[in-house]
Amino acid sequence: MSTFDENSTVPRDEGLALICEAGHGVASHEELFKNLTTAVNAVLCGDGTFLHLLSADYGTLKRFGPIPEATEWSDEMPTGIGRLRWLFEAKEPIIMDYTRPHIKDRIPKFALEHGYLSAISIPIVADGSTFGICSTRYKRAITWERDDVSYLKICGRVLGSLVSSAMTENKHISLALLEERKRLSSEIHDNVSHLVGSLSLCSASILASYEEGDMDFVERGLEKMEALCGKTIRVFRDEMLSLRVPLDRTDEWTESIIPILSNFESEWGIKTTLEQDIANEPLSLNVITSMHLSRILRECLSNVVRHAQASRVVVSLHEDDSNLLMTVTDDGCGFDVDAASPARFGIKIMHERADAIGGKLTIVSSEDGTVVRVYVPRIGKW
């Protein structure tokens, strides 16, 4: 029996399950990596575990996880240090005895000063690619048998699967944000261009009236232009506020939309109410769902200003085990949904946003007002 087995309090199968569990249901990469280092340290009975993951240029390894002592490579470490090049090529763990180091090992000066006697570095591998290393230090000598090394490699593959999934998700988010930029440019154009066009027509009309000497019309035109300028400024301000909605995972998404509703009410004088019926507070949304719901809400409010002639807006959030439902209701004049849907770009974009998060958007409108509902199915977590 190895020294590792003698000291371990976690059976090996349970250890792998513990590492897997550490990678599920986390809100960010930082939390994921923190959970993984904690789990691996417990499973391998270490005195400190951290990750070094490959940077974008593959030239350095960026550290994740606690290293209380200041070291030469605390934050970033070259991939060619010591036996790391061999680790990446062979995809085999490196076992280090700090008292009798390998000729290529570069033992940090602080190691022996703080009582560390040994360490292991496990390649983090998925689909034949190495994403980095997981290192665990010990303040005791560890004897690693052949089956121990096999177990370490399995741990590395489990870590690789979790890290690879996180990086793939990050790439999807980056692509989604690029697509979001295209949508935003279209929406801002849709929301603002008609106001700018009105200003242009108004100024042309004022200029023509001035040339004809109709000063009464000029005065009325300038008053209209002043009102249009004020409205344009408020619309731009609303757009800028909506862009400040955090594009990261949050456990309190509703906190990010409260300023939008408050600003909307103060700017346009339309009473706005937020109602919540949340089964599991606080409401947690991932980056994509948060982004699309926030922009759907923003488009609804913009339509209220431009078309509804409403005096009140109610935004309600309802969550149960199956769905999240966001409803935006106004008491305005309503419109013909069937006639407007093919022509109005904003409505088309709202439907696309709902589809992007696996949801469904419906609009019901009459002379008593308009109701927009967005259903988002619960698949695991939002």
Side-chain angles (χ1 to χ4, degrees):
M1 180 179 291
S2 69
T3 307
F4 164 70
D5 284 322
E6 291 175 352
N7 286 276
S8 178
T9 59
V10 182
R12 294 192 176 190
D13 290 344
E14 292 182 16
L16 295 176
L18 182 64
I19 296 173
C20 289
E21 290 172 3
H24 294 292
V26 293
S28 65
H29 286 175
E30 288 73 17
E31 184 179 350
L32 168 65
F33 300 147
K34 178 182 177 181
N35 289 356
L36 291 180
T37 56
T38 300
V40 171
N41 198 64
V43 169
L44 299 184
C45 307
D47 296 305
T49 297
F50 51 93
L51 306 179
H52 273 98
L53 302 180
L54 278 173
S55 59
D57 61 3
Y58 298 99
T60 58
L61 294 159
K62 184 176 181 181
R63 179 186 60 82
F64 296 90
I67 300 183
E69 306 87 356
T71 72
E72 183 180 356
W73 303 301
S74 290
D75 296 321
E76 291 197 9
M77 179 170 59
T79 55
I81 291 295
R83 287 183 282 166
L84 284 183
R85 187 183 301 277
W86 174 85
L87 178 147
F88 277 93
E89 292 175 355
K91 297 178 176 59
E92 294 284 340
I94 294 175
I95 299 172
M96 287 167 280
D97 181 344
Y98 285 178
T99 60
R100 295 188 297 274
H102 186 280
I103 189 171
K104 291 186 177 181
D105 287 341
R106 290 178 58 182
I107 307 301
K109 295 179 180 179
F110 78 91
L112 295 177
E113 295 175 358
H114 288 82
Y116 292 103
L117 298 179
S118 60
I120 53 169
S121 290
I122 308 169
I124 300 173
V125 178
D127 298 326
S129 298
T130 304
F131 291 88
I133 60 174
C134 177
S135 299
T136 300
R137 292 195 175 107
Y138 297 89
K139 293 186 176 182
R140 61 188 185 279
I142 298 290
T143 301
W144 298 94
E145 305 294 348
R146 181 175 298 178
D147 64 328
D148 294 328
V149 174
S150 298
Y151 181 64
L152 294 177
K153 292 169 67 175
I154 295 173
C155 290
R157 289 198 292 271
V158 172
L159 289 170
S161 176
L162 296 170
V163 171
S164 173
S165 296
M167 291 183 172
T168 299
E169 179 185 4
N170 193 51
K171 290 180 181 178
H172 289 325
I173 290 174
S174 297
L175 290 173
L177 293 179
L178 287 175
E179 185 64 28
E180 176 66 4
R181 290 181 181 179
K182 297 179 182 178
R183 286 196 181 99
L184 286 177
S185 63
S186 298
E187 289 185 33
I188 290 174
H189 177 271
D190 193 44
N191 291 339
V192 175
S193 61
H194 76 285
L195 289 172
V196 176
S198 296
L199 285 170
S200 177
L201 290 174
C202 188
S203 62
S205 178
I206 292 171
L207 180 60
S209 299
Y210 176 77
E211 291 174 349
E212 294 173 1
D214 189 347
M215 302 310 295
D216 289 339
F217 190 89
V218 169
E219 183 177 354
R220 292 194 300 273
L222 288 173
E223 291 174 353
K224 181 180 179 181
M225 177 174 280
E226 182 181 18
L228 279 172
C229 286
K231 187 174 183 179
T232 303
I233 290 170
R234 291 196 296 272
V235 168
F236 268 115
R237 189 178 299 155
D238 286 348
E239 289 290 346
M240 294 305 102
L241 179 62
S242 68
L243 291 176
R244 291 204 298 268
V245 173
L247 292 182
D248 54 5
R249 189 181 183 91
T250 173
D251 290 335
E252 296 183 0
W253 174 69
T254 51
E255 294 298 319
S256 70
I257 65 173
I258 288 175
I260 294 177
L261 300 180
S262 176
N263 184 75
F264 177 81
E265 179 173 324
S266 63
E267 288 285 358
W268 303 104
I270 301 174
K271 178 65 177 178
T272 308
T273 305
L274 175 63
E275 299 176 349
Q276 299 185 63
D277 179 18
I278 306 300
N280 301 295
E281 293 189 16
L283 178 60
S284 177
L285 301 178
N286 63 38
V287 57
I288 303 300
T289 303
S290 172
M291 177 177 64
H292 286 300
L293 283 181
S294 297
R295 293 303 301 180
I296 289 173
L297 173 60
R298 178 66 190 84
E299 181 63 27
C300 289
L301 297 177
S302 178
N303 288 336
V304 168
V305 170
R306 289 184 291 163
H307 308 293
Q309 301 175 28
S311 61
R312 180 177 175 84
V313 175
V314 178
V315 179
S316 65
L317 302 172
H318 173 78
E319 180 202 19
D320 56 31
D321 292 336
S322 302
N323 295 282
L324 170 65
L325 169 63
M326 181 178 75
T327 305
V328 183
T329 306
D330 69 65
D331 63 354
C333 60
F335 65 100
D336 187 335
V337 177
D338 294 331
S341 294
R344 282 174 54 179
F345 186 74
I347 292 178
K348 178 177 180 292
I349 288 291
M350 287 198 295
H351 281 287
E352 290 180 355
R353 288 188 180 281
D355 290 342
I357 52 179
K360 180 181 179 181
L361 183 141
T362 65
I363 302 175
V364 177
S365 188
S366 69
E367 60 184 14
D368 297 322
T370 300
V371 180
V372 179
R373 293 185 177 90
V374 187
Y375 299 85
V376 183
R378 174 181 283 280
I379 303 176
K381 291 194 171 184
W382 309 116

